[in-house]
Amino acid sequence: MERIPILQMGPFLLVTIQVDMHDQLALTLQDDLSERISKTSARGVLIDISALDMVDSFIGRMIGTISGLSKIMDAQTVLVGMQPAVAITLVELGLTLPGVSTALNVERGMKLLQDRVIEQ
Amino acid sequence: MTVRSSGTHAIHIEQDVVLARQLARKLATECGIRLIDLTKLVTAVSELARNTMVYGGGGDMDWQIIDENPRTGLRLTFRDEGPGIPDLKLAMTDGWTSGSGLGLGLTGAKRLVDDFEIDTAPGKGTRVTITRWT
């Protein structure tokens, strides 16, 4: 079965979405991530969407769900690399991703996660 | 108004929704639609193609590249022979969904394109036509 790889970097999980996802693939990622957070006791999840040239309501919902479920499992989620055209479209679509932390790129996202974990 | 080229893309399984997005991106690029508008159009296509598959039980996306001096447009029609929408006014309300989605598909798609037309009745299927101009 097709899967999006989840990499572990110390206390964090890193996901880079590089394919045009169909809906089932997005749902599989959601399930895989929750399982990996639980297995690795990860403190943070970084999702890099810089290769995505479109985020529709389905993918937007998946991102919101991942962020919500990781919070419940004591992990932080940061979404990084959103292309400007994607951000404009999302807002117009009516999806503002409330409660989802974002950063411009992977480096800043990692910094954000590290700062938050140290704070705790 | 002249139709430069046209075609049909079938939408039956999830992968067809991905292919519909990719086809729309290719056609919009051919029309010379700029990146932000192209991204909006492709996102609208994703929402409508998913509706065709999930709620319409599958159908087709017809496409036309239209020259209407001095502008060029991409017109896409999503057709299905599904159950239709009984209450269109309700379906065009932000946040309302008959399924498990966010209820942003139809209303969101409408905001993302220049022209939006919907023709539906219970038992008569659904037909949504969108156009984006350069």
Side-chain angles (χ1 to χ4, degrees), chain B residues 60-89:
Chain B
D60 291 297
M61 175 181 84
D62 299 326
W63 60 268
Q64 282 186 321
I65 294 179
I66 304 160
D67 287 312
E68 196 183 84
N69 217 5
R71 59 183 189 169
T72 302
L74 177 58
R75 179 165 292 158
L76 300 156
T77 302
F78 297 83
R79 290 183 284 117
D80 68 62
E81 306 290 323
I85 302 170
D87 189 340
L88 189 57
K89 207 177 150 204

Side-chain angles (χ1 to χ4, degrees), chain B residues 14-61:
Chain B
E14 279 182 8
Q15 198 56 40
D16 294 335
V17 176
V18 176
L19 294 174
R21 290 202 292 254
Q22 290 169 354
L23 176 62
R25 178 173 297 276
K26 184 179 141 263
L27 294 169
T29 307
E30 225 173 283
C31 291
I33 295 172
R34 65 194 189 103
L35 181 66
I36 290 175
D37 292 340
L38 183 147
T39 305
K40 290 180 187 176
L41 177 69
V42 172
T43 308
V45 165
S46 190
E47 301 294 344
L48 296 174
R50 181 178 297 108
N51 281 356
T52 298
M53 179 191 75
V54 175
Y55 300 109
D60 291 297
M61 175 181 84

Side-chain angles (χ1 to χ4, degrees), chain A residues 20 23 56-57 61 92, chain B residues 14 21 46-47 50 100 111:
Chain A
D20 200 347
D23 295 356
D56 63 5
S57 66
R61 183 168 60 146
E92 212 152 304
Chain B
E14 279 182 8
R21 290 202 292 254
S46 190
E47 301 294 344
R50 181 178 297 108
S100 57
R111 282 194 293 270

Side-chain angles (χ1 to χ4, degrees), chain A residues 29-114:
Chain A
L29 174 63
Q30 197 175 297
D31 295 348
D32 286 353
L33 257 179
S34 58
E35 209 170 288
R36 282 291 289 276
I37 294 171
S38 147
K39 240 189 221 159
T40 62
S41 314
R43 302 307 308 277
V45 178
L46 192 112
I47 305 174
D48 175 20
I49 58 163
S50 56
L52 284 191
D53 44 27
M54 184 226 59
V55 171
D56 63 5
S57 66
F58 197 90
I59 299 172
R61 183 168 60 146
M62 175 206 75
I63 291 167
T65 305
I66 288 174
S67 171
L69 72 85
S70 66
K71 202 167 283 170
I72 293 170
M73 298 174 77
D74 194 26
Q76 313 265 348
T77 299
V78 178
L79 184 70
V80 305
M82 188 184 291
Q83 294 178 17
V86 173
I88 292 168
T89 303
L90 266 185
V91 172
E92 212 152 304
L93 187 64
L95 256 181
T96 48
L97 303 177
V100 179
S101 301
T102 57
L104 270 186
N105 53 42
V106 175
E107 205 179 337
R108 287 205 207 175
M110 267 300 171
K111 176 96 179 33
L112 189 67
L113 279 180
Q114 277 158 353

